[in-house]
Amino acid sequence: METDSFISTIDYWQDELNRYEFADLLRKPQPEKWSLGQVYMHLIDATSFFLGQVDICLQTDDHAEDEMSEVAKAMFANDEFPDKMLEGPPSNAATPQPTSKDEIVRGFEKLKERILALGHSNSTNKGKTKHPGHRFFNADEWLQYAHMHFRHHERQKGRIEKFLEG
């Protein structure tokens, strides 16, 4: 499993966190939009879910023959989400604000530990689990999806940064 590039992306986000006062992480461009702190919390929560799916795939051969959606195939071929604002599930509206910068740092460190541990996996299982919108992914695909998801949110981060600078 390729993990170095993903760890570098997480390191980038951690380094960027140092640029902001905690109060700035809580500021929202609009009441219904996320703050930068909520983006960080979303990345921790969503990536934790994705890594849980990796763990399941590494322990089973279930759904090994099931495929991902055609939309997902295109995303994976391009190694990125479409360059557009995507509407997430309704649960995204409940994304919490962080309680501190340290909460974010701890969350990112935990993600890196889990990702590094996956790089040492010697599982031969070929199982897949179902993504809510894109059908079935195997362990490597879930990891790639998690990395693409991080990179996708860089665009949102840039929009929020413009608001904070303005």
Side-chain angles (χ1 to χ4, degrees):
M1 240 175 237
E2 172 55 45
T3 58
D4 292 345
S5 179
F6 194 4
I7 295 295
S8 294
T9 298
I10 294 173
D11 287 342
Y12 160 78
W13 277 81
Q14 280 186 285
D15 291 346
E16 288 289 296
L17 183 61
N18 295 324
R19 295 178 44 208
Y20 300 99
E21 297 296 325
F22 182 65
D24 289 331
L25 293 173
L26 303 179
R27 289 180 53 208
K28 294 181 168 195
Q30 296 172 357
E32 72 282 358
K33 300 289 185 188
W34 278 350
S35 68
L36 192 53
Q38 285 173 295
V39 174
Y40 274 92
M41 297 302 288
H42 168 71
L43 288 170
I44 292 166
D45 185 53
T47 306
S48 294
F49 171 77
F50 302 151
L51 295 177
Q53 297 305 299
V54 172
D55 289 337
I56 293 168
C57 291
L58 293 173
Q59 297 173 32
T60 185
D61 285 320
D62 292 351
H63 303 287
E65 301 304 316
D66 292 326
E67 294 191 18
M68 66 178 69
S69 69
E70 292 303 316
V71 170
K73 287 178 185 178
M75 286 172 35
F76 279 86
N78 293 324
D79 195 31
E80 67 181 0
F81 282 29
D83 188 8
K84 62 181 181 180
M85 292 177 73
L86 302 173
E87 191 67 35
S91 60
N92 281 354
T95 299
Q97 291 276 23
T99 58
S100 67
K101 276 180 136 179
D102 195 49
E103 178 184 18
I104 296 169
V105 170
R106 284 191 315 268
F108 273 50
E109 287 301 321
K110 193 177 219 179
L111 291 178
K112 289 193 319 188
E113 288 171 14
R114 288 181 71 188
I115 292 165
L116 288 169
L118 291 171
H120 294 75
S121 172
N122 56 4
S123 172
T124 59
N125 290 325
K126 304 288 185 203
K128 295 181 183 180
T129 59
K130 190 171 186 179
H131 181 279
H134 296 297
R135 298 187 49 213
F136 291 88
F137 297 165
N138 65 29
D140 287 331
E141 290 162 346
W142 274 111
L143 193 61
Q144 181 181 353
Y145 186 83
H147 192 189
M148 291 188 302
H149 180 249
F150 253 85
R151 294 191 319 264
H152 166 73
H153 279 287
E154 287 178 23
R155 298 177 193 119
Q156 181 180 20
K157 179 179 163 296
R159 290 190 297 273
I160 296 170
E161 287 172 337
K162 284 183 182 172
F163 158 75
L164 293 173
E165 293 165 1

